[in-house]
Amino acid sequence: MGPNPTVAPDLLWPLAAPTARPITPYWAGPNGINVLLWTAFSAIVLSIAAYLLVVDVREQLRRGSPES
């Protein structure tokens, strides 16, 4: 923190008035492009993870469970 640290007003919400916010958050980008890109990236990662899970489960079922 700098030489004059301050507390964000959001942390003092019960004691201070809430801070007004814009309807679209700054991180969403113009027309929500960042949200769309993040959603697409997440869908791709989840699809790959689901595919690998299915492949692994099929391989485990093909091998069969070991006998004790």
Side-chain angles (χ1 to χ4, degrees):
M1 295 187 110
N4 296 325
T6 59
V7 176
D10 293 341
L11 296 176
L12 300 173
W13 167 73
L15 305 173
T19 305
R21 304 265 186 243
I23 294 173
T24 304
Y26 70 91
W27 49 263
N31 296 325
I33 188 67
N34 293 337
V35 174
L36 295 174
L37 291 174
W38 181 251
T39 302
F41 173 74
S42 298
I44 291 169
V45 169
L46 288 173
S47 298
I48 292 170
Y51 171 76
L52 292 174
L53 179 67
V54 167
V55 168
D56 187 52
V57 168
R58 283 186 180 167
E59 180 66 22
Q60 295 301 319
L61 290 175
R62 187 184 64 79
R63 288 183 186 177
S65 60
E67 297 294 324
S68 297

